[in-house]
Amino acid sequence: MRGDLAAAVHAEALKLRRSRVPWATAGATVLAGLVGAFFMFVLQDPDRARTLGLLGAKAQLAGGTADWPGYFSLAAQTVAVGGLLIFGTAAIWLFGREFSDRTVTDLLAVPTSRTAVVLAKLLLGLVWCAMLTLLLVGLVLGLGALLGLPGWSAATAARGAGTVLGAGLLTAGLAAGYGLAASVGRGYLPAVGVLFLTVLLAQVLAAVGHGGWFPWAVPALLSGAAGPGRSGVGWAGILGVVLVALGSAAATALWWERADHR
């Protein structure tokens, strides 16, 4: 099994390296970091915020603060909400491309086990999401320093970076479900439909105060999207995210082992 997994990881890594999708997701992450920096730039000067109309009003209503804790909090929310779209796209591509490009039968003809193929895709997806999250943390540190945000300390940076990475890990786990949807749906479109449905439900349920029991809303709530100290998420919510991640991975491996891929 170990040899199969190593071979599968190598093959999947080659596909990833030759694709433009990782660059697209990295670009989206950089854009998110720049938008966050602009948000902080606006909040630094109330007069500047007023001249920007609705953007300035939204910044004030969101309760954001132009300091290091505020910037890290915004980055964590970006990962939790926008990460569902970016990480979900990564998972959908990893699994859906085999059906859209009609390479699934060729893939299954090799001696590598189907479970190893699934595990390789999931591992690469996790590494991919982790690298994107680290990219955002690096942007926050660099752009925050460029803006001269107040409130810097090593403890603040460690705590803020940990919050962003934690949100990224939880969101990456949820993305495994979109890989399952792309497999069962045999392509991109069904999985994209599931992606938008879960994002919509997460926003609606969080807005009405019931997001704590819906796993796809948990990372955003934990990152402070509902306001400081108002997440409404306990250990049961985090456990729900873990169960969805592990269950999706297991279900995907089982489906690939038993499904008729003709």
Side-chain angles (χ1 to χ4, degrees), residues 55-92:
L55 179 61
K58 183 178 180 180
Q60 298 297 333
L61 289 173
T65 55
D67 54 19
W68 281 103
Y71 196 8
F72 276 118
S73 176
L74 179 61
Q77 294 173 45
T78 299
V79 169
V81 179
L84 273 179
L85 295 173
I86 298 175
F87 297 172
T89 297
I92 290 171

PDB file of all heavy atoms in Angstrom, residues 55-92:
ATOM      1  N   LEU A  55     -18.606  51.352   0.720  1.00  0.00           N
ATOM      2  CA  LEU A  55     -17.517  50.524   1.226  1.00  0.00           C
ATOM      3  C   LEU A  55     -17.107  50.977   2.613  1.00  0.00           C
ATOM      4  O   LEU A  55     -16.918  50.195   3.521  1.00  0.00           O
ATOM      5  CB  LEU A  55     -16.316  50.577   0.275  1.00  0.00           C
ATOM      6  CG  LEU A  55     -15.088  49.775   0.706  1.00  0.00           C
ATOM      7  CD1 LEU A  55     -15.441  48.301   0.826  1.00  0.00           C
ATOM      8  CD2 LEU A  55     -13.947  49.965  -0.269  1.00  0.00           C
ATOM      9  N   GLY A  56     -17.009  52.321   2.796  1.00  0.00           N
ATOM     10  CA  GLY A  56     -16.664  52.851   4.102  1.00  0.00           C
ATOM     11  C   GLY A  56     -17.726  52.544   5.133  1.00  0.00           C
ATOM     12  O   GLY A  56     -17.424  52.165   6.268  1.00  0.00           O
ATOM     13  N   ALA A  57     -19.015  52.684   4.741  1.00  0.00           N
ATOM     14  CA  ALA A  57     -20.100  52.387   5.673  1.00  0.00           C
ATOM     15  C   ALA A  57     -20.085  50.929   6.069  1.00  0.00           C
ATOM     16  O   ALA A  57     -20.277  50.573   7.231  1.00  0.00           O
ATOM     17  CB  ALA A  57     -21.441  52.747   5.023  1.00  0.00           C
ATOM     18  N   LYS A  58     -19.832  50.054   5.108  1.00  0.00           N
ATOM     19  CA  LYS A  58     -19.784  48.622   5.409  1.00  0.00           C
ATOM     20  C   LYS A  58     -18.655  48.313   6.370  1.00  0.00           C
ATOM     21  O   LYS A  58     -18.786  47.491   7.278  1.00  0.00           O
ATOM     22  CB  LYS A  58     -19.613  47.824   4.111  1.00  0.00           C
ATOM     23  CG  LYS A  58     -19.622  46.323   4.318  1.00  0.00           C
ATOM     24  CD  LYS A  58     -19.497  45.594   2.999  1.00  0.00           C
ATOM     25  CE  LYS A  58     -19.502  44.082   3.216  1.00  0.00           C
ATOM     26  NZ  LYS A  58     -19.370  43.340   1.951  1.00  0.00           N
ATOM     27  N   ALA A  59     -17.511  48.986   6.171  1.00  0.00           N
ATOM     28  CA  ALA A  59     -16.373  48.759   7.051  1.00  0.00           C
ATOM     29  C   ALA A  59     -16.722  49.123   8.484  1.00  0.00           C
ATOM     30  O   ALA A  59     -16.372  48.410   9.425  1.00  0.00           O
ATOM     31  CB  ALA A  59     -15.183  49.584   6.570  1.00  0.00           C
ATOM     32  N   GLN A  60     -17.417  50.242   8.669  1.00  0.00           N
ATOM     33  CA  GLN A  60     -17.773  50.666  10.015  1.00  0.00           C
ATOM     34  C   GLN A  60     -18.801  49.729  10.627  1.00  0.00           C
ATOM     35  O   GLN A  60     -18.730  49.361  11.795  1.00  0.00           O
ATOM     36  CB  GLN A  60     -18.322  52.102   9.969  1.00  0.00           C
ATOM     37  CG  GLN A  60     -17.310  53.133   9.465  1.00  0.00           C
ATOM     38  CD  GLN A  60     -16.100  53.251  10.374  1.00  0.00           C
ATOM     39  OE1 GLN A  60     -16.173  52.984  11.572  1.00  0.00           O
ATOM     40  NE2 GLN A  60     -14.971  53.640   9.807  1.00  0.00           N
ATOM     41  N   LEU A  61     -19.793  49.324   9.817  1.00  0.00           N
ATOM     42  CA  LEU A  61     -20.830  48.441  10.332  1.00  0.00           C
ATOM     43  C   LEU A  61     -20.278  47.079  10.703  1.00  0.00           C
ATOM     44  O   LEU A  61     -20.774  46.413  11.610  1.00  0.00           O
ATOM     45  CB  LEU A  61     -21.941  48.283   9.274  1.00  0.00           C
ATOM     46  CG  LEU A  61     -22.811  49.531   9.046  1.00  0.00           C
ATOM     47  CD1 LEU A  61     -23.750  49.299   7.876  1.00  0.00           C
ATOM     48  CD2 LEU A  61     -23.590  49.885  10.306  1.00  0.00           C
ATOM     49  N   ALA A  62     -19.230  46.635  10.002  1.00  0.00           N
ATOM     50  CA  ALA A  62     -18.653  45.323  10.280  1.00  0.00           C
ATOM     51  C   ALA A  62     -17.894  45.302  11.596  1.00  0.00           C
ATOM     52  O   ALA A  62     -17.521  44.240  12.078  1.00  0.00           O
ATOM     53  CB  ALA A  62     -17.719  44.913   9.140  1.00  0.00           C
ATOM     54  N   GLY A  63     -17.659  46.480  12.176  1.00  0.00           N
ATOM     55  CA  GLY A  63     -16.949  46.528  13.451  1.00  0.00           C
ATOM     56  C   GLY A  63     -15.476  46.238  13.319  1.00  0.00           C
ATOM     57  O   GLY A  63     -14.819  45.863  14.282  1.00  0.00           O
ATOM     58  N   GLY A  64     -14.920  46.418  12.115  1.00  0.00           N
ATOM     59  CA  GLY A  64     -13.508  46.150  11.909  1.00  0.00           C
ATOM     60  C   GLY A  64     -12.634  47.234  12.525  1.00  0.00           C
ATOM     61  O   GLY A  64     -13.049  48.383  12.677  1.00  0.00           O
ATOM     62  N   THR A  65     -11.433  46.860  12.864  1.00  0.00           N
ATOM     63  CA  THR A  65     -10.466  47.807  13.405  1.00  0.00           C
ATOM     64  C   THR A  65      -9.174  47.695  12.623  1.00  0.00           C
ATOM     65  O   THR A  65      -8.745  46.597  12.258  1.00  0.00           O
ATOM     66  CB  THR A  65     -10.188  47.538  14.899  1.00  0.00           C
ATOM     67  OG1 THR A  65      -9.774  46.174  15.063  1.00  0.00           O
ATOM     68  CG2 THR A  65     -11.433  47.785  15.731  1.00  0.00           C
ATOM     69  N   ALA A  66      -8.553  48.844  12.364  1.00  0.00           N
ATOM     70  CA  ALA A  66      -7.326  48.870  11.576  1.00  0.00           C
ATOM     71  C   ALA A  66      -6.129  48.609  12.477  1.00  0.00           C
ATOM     72  O   ALA A  66      -5.324  49.503  12.769  1.00  0.00           O
ATOM     73  CB  ALA A  66      -7.198  50.207  10.866  1.00  0.00           C
ATOM     74  N   ASP A  67      -5.988  47.378  12.932  1.00  0.00           N
ATOM     75  CA  ASP A  67      -4.845  46.963  13.729  1.00  0.00           C
ATOM     76  C   ASP A  67      -4.540  45.505  13.414  1.00  0.00           C
ATOM     77  O   ASP A  67      -5.247  44.864  12.634  1.00  0.00           O
ATOM     78  CB  ASP A  67      -5.100  47.170  15.229  1.00  0.00           C
ATOM     79  CG  ASP A  67      -6.385  46.484  15.704  1.00  0.00           C
ATOM     80  OD1 ASP A  67      -6.881  45.575  15.007  1.00  0.00           O
ATOM     81  OD2 ASP A  67      -6.883  46.853  16.783  1.00  0.00           O
ATOM     82  N   TRP A  68      -3.481  44.989  14.007  1.00  0.00           N
ATOM     83  CA  TRP A  68      -3.070  43.617  13.697  1.00  0.00           C
ATOM     84  C   TRP A  68      -4.115  42.574  14.078  1.00  0.00           C
ATOM     85  O   TRP A  68      -4.419  41.683  13.267  1.00  0.00           O
ATOM     86  CB  TRP A  68      -1.729  43.309  14.361  1.00  0.00           C
ATOM     87  CG  TRP A  68      -0.567  43.870  13.615  1.00  0.00           C
ATOM     88  CD1 TRP A  68       0.156  44.980  13.914  1.00  0.00           C
ATOM     89  CD2 TRP A  68      -0.006  43.343  12.404  1.00  0.00           C
ATOM     90  NE1 TRP A  68       1.137  45.194  12.972  1.00  0.00           N
ATOM     91  CE2 TRP A  68       1.067  44.201  12.036  1.00  0.00           C
ATOM     92  CE3 TRP A  68      -0.290  42.251  11.597  1.00  0.00           C
ATOM     93  CZ2 TRP A  68       1.838  43.985  10.902  1.00  0.00           C
ATOM     94  CZ3 TRP A  68       0.477  42.022  10.468  1.00  0.00           C
ATOM     95  CH2 TRP A  68       1.529  42.875  10.127  1.00  0.00           C
ATOM     96  N   PRO A  69      -4.719  42.645  15.276  1.00  0.00           N
ATOM     97  CA  PRO A  69      -5.767  41.653  15.588  1.00  0.00           C
ATOM     98  C   PRO A  69      -6.932  41.716  14.604  1.00  0.00           C
ATOM     99  O   PRO A  69      -7.475  40.679  14.196  1.00  0.00           O
ATOM    100  CB  PRO A  69      -6.207  42.043  17.007  1.00  0.00           C
ATOM    101  CG  PRO A  69      -5.017  42.724  17.592  1.00  0.00           C
ATOM    102  CD  PRO A  69      -4.399  43.473  16.461  1.00  0.00           C
ATOM    103  N   GLY A  70      -7.317  42.944  14.197  1.00  0.00           N
ATOM    104  CA  GLY A  70      -8.406  43.076  13.246  1.00  0.00           C
ATOM    105  C   GLY A  70      -8.073  42.506  11.888  1.00  0.00           C
ATOM    106  O   GLY A  70      -8.913  41.882  11.233  1.00  0.00           O
ATOM    107  N   TYR A  71      -6.835  42.696  11.442  1.00  0.00           N
ATOM    108  CA  TYR A  71      -6.417  42.188  10.139  1.00  0.00           C
ATOM    109  C   TYR A  71      -6.362  40.664  10.142  1.00  0.00           C
ATOM    110  O   TYR A  71      -6.808  40.007   9.193  1.00  0.00           O
ATOM    111  CB  TYR A  71      -5.056  42.776   9.779  1.00  0.00           C
ATOM    112  CG  TYR A  71      -4.674  42.643   8.316  1.00  0.00           C
ATOM    113  CD1 TYR A  71      -5.569  42.176   7.358  1.00  0.00           C
ATOM    114  CD2 TYR A  71      -3.399  43.005   7.890  1.00  0.00           C
ATOM    115  CE1 TYR A  71      -5.208  42.070   6.034  1.00  0.00           C
ATOM    116  CE2 TYR A  71      -3.026  42.903   6.557  1.00  0.00           C
ATOM    117  CZ  TYR A  71      -3.930  42.431   5.633  1.00  0.00           C
ATOM    118  OH  TYR A  71      -3.570  42.315   4.302  1.00  0.00           O
ATOM    119  N   PHE A  72      -5.830  40.074  11.208  1.00  0.00           N
ATOM    120  CA  PHE A  72      -5.800  38.619  11.295  1.00  0.00           C
ATOM    121  C   PHE A  72      -7.216  38.040  11.364  1.00  0.00           C
ATOM    122  O   PHE A  72      -7.503  36.989  10.777  1.00  0.00           O
ATOM    123  CB  PHE A  72      -4.996  38.178  12.516  1.00  0.00           C
ATOM    124  CG  PHE A  72      -3.514  38.114  12.285  1.00  0.00           C
ATOM    125  CD1 PHE A  72      -2.635  38.931  13.001  1.00  0.00           C
ATOM    126  CD2 PHE A  72      -2.979  37.243  11.355  1.00  0.00           C
ATOM    127  CE1 PHE A  72      -1.270  38.878  12.782  1.00  0.00           C
ATOM    128  CE2 PHE A  72      -1.605  37.173  11.139  1.00  0.00           C
ATOM    129  CZ  PHE A  72      -0.753  37.996  11.848  1.00  0.00           C
ATOM    130  N   SER A  73      -8.099  38.714  12.101  1.00  0.00           N
ATOM    131  CA  SER A  73      -9.481  38.254  12.182  1.00  0.00           C
ATOM    132  C   SER A  73     -10.147  38.286  10.813  1.00  0.00           C
ATOM    133  O   SER A  73     -10.860  37.353  10.428  1.00  0.00           O
ATOM    134  CB  SER A  73     -10.264  39.126  13.168  1.00  0.00           C
ATOM    135  OG  SER A  73     -11.629  38.748  13.198  1.00  0.00           O
ATOM    136  N   LEU A  74      -9.903  39.367  10.057  1.00  0.00           N
ATOM    137  CA  LEU A  74     -10.450  39.467   8.714  1.00  0.00           C
ATOM    138  C   LEU A  74      -9.898  38.370   7.813  1.00  0.00           C
ATOM    139  O   LEU A  74     -10.624  37.778   7.009  1.00  0.00           O
ATOM    140  CB  LEU A  74     -10.137  40.843   8.131  1.00  0.00           C
ATOM    141  CG  LEU A  74     -10.630  41.114   6.710  1.00  0.00           C
ATOM    142  CD1 LEU A  74     -12.152  41.018   6.641  1.00  0.00           C
ATOM    143  CD2 LEU A  74     -10.166  42.487   6.242  1.00  0.00           C
ATOM    144  N   ALA A  75      -8.604  38.072   7.945  1.00  0.00           N
ATOM    145  CA  ALA A  75      -7.989  37.018   7.134  1.00  0.00           C
ATOM    146  C   ALA A  75      -8.579  35.653   7.459  1.00  0.00           C
ATOM    147  O   ALA A  75      -8.814  34.831   6.559  1.00  0.00           O
ATOM    148  CB  ALA A  75      -6.480  37.007   7.356  1.00  0.00           C
ATOM    149  N   ALA A  76      -8.839  35.402   8.753  1.00  0.00           N
ATOM    150  CA  ALA A  76      -9.445  34.123   9.144  1.00  0.00           C
ATOM    151  C   ALA A  76     -10.843  33.991   8.553  1.00  0.00           C
ATOM    152  O   ALA A  76     -11.236  32.909   8.084  1.00  0.00           O
ATOM    153  CB  ALA A  76      -9.495  34.026  10.667  1.00  0.00           C
ATOM    154  N   GLN A  77     -11.597  35.069   8.561  1.00  0.00           N
ATOM    155  CA  GLN A  77     -12.932  35.031   7.971  1.00  0.00           C
ATOM    156  C   GLN A  77     -12.859  34.829   6.464  1.00  0.00           C
ATOM    157  O   GLN A  77     -13.691  34.132   5.877  1.00  0.00           O
ATOM    158  CB  GLN A  77     -13.669  36.323   8.297  1.00  0.00           C
ATOM    159  CG  GLN A  77     -13.981  36.509   9.777  1.00  0.00           C
ATOM    160  CD  GLN A  77     -14.560  37.865  10.083  1.00  0.00           C
ATOM    161  OE1 GLN A  77     -15.438  38.354   9.384  1.00  0.00           O
ATOM    162  NE2 GLN A  77     -14.051  38.507  11.133  1.00  0.00           N
ATOM    163  N   THR A  78     -11.838  35.417   5.840  1.00  0.00           N
ATOM    164  CA  THR A  78     -11.649  35.238   4.402  1.00  0.00           C
ATOM    165  C   THR A  78     -11.386  33.776   4.063  1.00  0.00           C
ATOM    166  O   THR A  78     -11.940  33.239   3.100  1.00  0.00           O
ATOM    167  CB  THR A  78     -10.471  36.101   3.916  1.00  0.00           C
ATOM    168  OG1 THR A  78     -10.753  37.481   4.174  1.00  0.00           O
ATOM    169  CG2 THR A  78     -10.221  35.906   2.429  1.00  0.00           C
ATOM    170  N   VAL A  79     -10.537  33.135   4.866  1.00  0.00           N
ATOM    171  CA  VAL A  79     -10.238  31.720   4.641  1.00  0.00           C
ATOM    172  C   VAL A  79     -11.483  30.863   4.857  1.00  0.00           C
ATOM    173  O   VAL A  79     -11.764  29.934   4.092  1.00  0.00           O
ATOM    174  CB  VAL A  79      -9.102  31.254   5.576  1.00  0.00           C
ATOM    175  CG1 VAL A  79      -8.955  29.740   5.542  1.00  0.00           C
ATOM    176  CG2 VAL A  79      -7.793  31.896   5.171  1.00  0.00           C
ATOM    177  N   ALA A  80     -12.242  31.178   5.895  1.00  0.00           N
ATOM    178  CA  ALA A  80     -13.400  30.361   6.237  1.00  0.00           C
ATOM    179  C   ALA A  80     -14.520  30.483   5.214  1.00  0.00           C
ATOM    180  O   ALA A  80     -15.192  29.490   4.901  1.00  0.00           O
ATOM    181  CB  ALA A  80     -13.917  30.756   7.622  1.00  0.00           C
ATOM    182  N   VAL A  81     -14.722  31.680   4.688  1.00  0.00           N
ATOM    183  CA  VAL A  81     -15.817  31.897   3.737  1.00  0.00           C
ATOM    184  C   VAL A  81     -15.320  31.724   2.300  1.00  0.00           C
ATOM    185  O   VAL A  81     -15.815  30.880   1.549  1.00  0.00           O
ATOM    186  CB  VAL A  81     -16.440  33.296   3.925  1.00  0.00           C
ATOM    187  CG1 VAL A  81     -17.562  33.515   2.909  1.00  0.00           C
ATOM    188  CG2 VAL A  81     -16.977  33.454   5.343  1.00  0.00           C
ATOM    189  N   GLY A  82     -14.319  32.516   1.919  1.00  0.00           N
ATOM    190  CA  GLY A  82     -13.783  32.397   0.568  1.00  0.00           C
ATOM    191  C   GLY A  82     -13.056  31.088   0.351  1.00  0.00           C
ATOM    192  O   GLY A  82     -12.987  30.580  -0.777  1.00  0.00           O
ATOM    193  N   GLY A  83     -12.520  30.514   1.440  1.00  0.00           N
ATOM    194  CA  GLY A  83     -11.802  29.255   1.317  1.00  0.00           C
ATOM    195  C   GLY A  83     -12.691  28.115   0.856  1.00  0.00           C
ATOM    196  O   GLY A  83     -12.226  27.188   0.185  1.00  0.00           O
ATOM    197  N   LEU A  84     -13.973  28.164   1.220  1.00  0.00           N
ATOM    198  CA  LEU A  84     -14.882  27.125   0.738  1.00  0.00           C
ATOM    199  C   LEU A  84     -14.915  27.120  -0.792  1.00  0.00           C
ATOM    200  O   LEU A  84     -14.946  26.057  -1.420  1.00  0.00           O
ATOM    201  CB  LEU A  84     -16.293  27.352   1.287  1.00  0.00           C
ATOM    202  CG  LEU A  84     -16.633  26.749   2.650  1.00  0.00           C
ATOM    203  CD1 LEU A  84     -18.061  27.093   3.034  1.00  0.00           C
ATOM    204  CD2 LEU A  84     -16.423  25.244   2.671  1.00  0.00           C
ATOM    205  N   LEU A  85     -14.900  28.313  -1.381  1.00  0.00           N
ATOM    206  CA  LEU A  85     -14.924  28.408  -2.839  1.00  0.00           C
ATOM    207  C   LEU A  85     -13.580  28.010  -3.447  1.00  0.00           C
ATOM    208  O   LEU A  85     -13.526  27.237  -4.406  1.00  0.00           O
ATOM    209  CB  LEU A  85     -15.283  29.830  -3.255  1.00  0.00           C
ATOM    210  CG  LEU A  85     -16.689  30.310  -2.877  1.00  0.00           C
ATOM    211  CD1 LEU A  85     -16.849  31.789  -3.188  1.00  0.00           C
ATOM    212  CD2 LEU A  85     -17.748  29.497  -3.606  1.00  0.00           C
ATOM    213  N   ILE A  86     -12.485  28.535  -2.868  1.00  0.00           N
ATOM    214  CA  ILE A  86     -11.162  28.262  -3.441  1.00  0.00           C
ATOM    215  C   ILE A  86     -10.735  26.820  -3.188  1.00  0.00           C
ATOM    216  O   ILE A  86     -10.313  26.105  -4.103  1.00  0.00           O
ATOM    217  CB  ILE A  86     -10.132  29.240  -2.864  1.00  0.00           C
ATOM    218  CG1 ILE A  86     -10.496  30.679  -3.238  1.00  0.00           C
ATOM    219  CG2 ILE A  86      -8.725  28.913  -3.387  1.00  0.00           C
ATOM    220  CD1 ILE A  86      -9.598  31.725  -2.610  1.00  0.00           C
ATOM    221  N   PHE A  87     -10.845  26.374  -1.938  1.00  0.00           N
ATOM    222  CA  PHE A  87     -10.471  24.992  -1.612  1.00  0.00           C
ATOM    223  C   PHE A  87     -11.424  24.005  -2.279  1.00  0.00           C
ATOM    224  O   PHE A  87     -11.012  22.920  -2.703  1.00  0.00           O
ATOM    225  CB  PHE A  87     -10.490  24.776  -0.103  1.00  0.00           C
ATOM    226  CG  PHE A  87      -9.497  25.625   0.661  1.00  0.00           C
ATOM    227  CD1 PHE A  87      -9.516  25.653   2.041  1.00  0.00           C
ATOM    228  CD2 PHE A  87      -8.553  26.401   0.010  1.00  0.00           C
ATOM    229  CE1 PHE A  87      -8.610  26.425   2.761  1.00  0.00           C
ATOM    230  CE2 PHE A  87      -7.647  27.180   0.704  1.00  0.00           C
ATOM    231  CZ  PHE A  87      -7.682  27.196   2.090  1.00  0.00           C
ATOM    232  N   GLY A  88     -12.705  24.396  -2.341  1.00  0.00           N
ATOM    233  CA  GLY A  88     -13.673  23.524  -3.017  1.00  0.00           C
ATOM    234  C   GLY A  88     -13.341  23.360  -4.487  1.00  0.00           C
ATOM    235  O   GLY A  88     -13.468  22.260  -5.046  1.00  0.00           O
ATOM    236  N   THR A  89     -12.904  24.441  -5.120  1.00  0.00           N
ATOM    237  CA  THR A  89     -12.491  24.370  -6.523  1.00  0.00           C
ATOM    238  C   THR A  89     -11.320  23.407  -6.700  1.00  0.00           C
ATOM    239  O   THR A  89     -11.279  22.622  -7.661  1.00  0.00           O
ATOM    240  CB  THR A  89     -12.093  25.768  -7.022  1.00  0.00           C
ATOM    241  OG1 THR A  89     -13.236  26.636  -6.961  1.00  0.00           O
ATOM    242  CG2 THR A  89     -11.576  25.714  -8.455  1.00  0.00           C
ATOM    243  N   ALA A  90     -10.385  23.457  -5.764  1.00  0.00           N
ATOM    244  CA  ALA A  90      -9.232  22.549  -5.825  1.00  0.00           C
ATOM    245  C   ALA A  90      -9.682  21.096  -5.746  1.00  0.00           C
ATOM    246  O   ALA A  90      -9.240  20.240  -6.530  1.00  0.00           O
ATOM    247  CB  ALA A  90      -8.263  22.864  -4.695  1.00  0.00           C
ATOM    248  N   ALA A  91     -10.562  20.786  -4.795  1.00  0.00           N
ATOM    249  CA  ALA A  91     -11.036  19.410  -4.621  1.00  0.00           C
ATOM    250  C   ALA A  91     -11.832  18.944  -5.834  1.00  0.00           C
ATOM    251  O   ALA A  91     -11.687  17.801  -6.294  1.00  0.00           O
ATOM    252  CB  ALA A  91     -11.883  19.311  -3.354  1.00  0.00           C
ATOM    253  N   ILE A  92     -12.666  19.824  -6.352  1.00  0.00           N
ATOM    254  CA  ILE A  92     -13.477  19.465  -7.524  1.00  0.00           C
ATOM    255  C   ILE A  92     -12.580  19.188  -8.720  1.00  0.00           C
ATOM    256  O   ILE A  92     -12.807  18.234  -9.479  1.00  0.00           O
ATOM    257  CB  ILE A  92     -14.482  20.599  -7.833  1.00  0.00           C
ATOM    258  CG1 ILE A  92     -15.552  20.652  -6.743  1.00  0.00           C
ATOM    259  CG2 ILE A  92     -15.126  20.387  -9.200  1.00  0.00           C
ATOM    260  CD1 ILE A  92     -16.457  21.875  -6.833  1.00  0.00           C
TER     261      ILE A  92
END
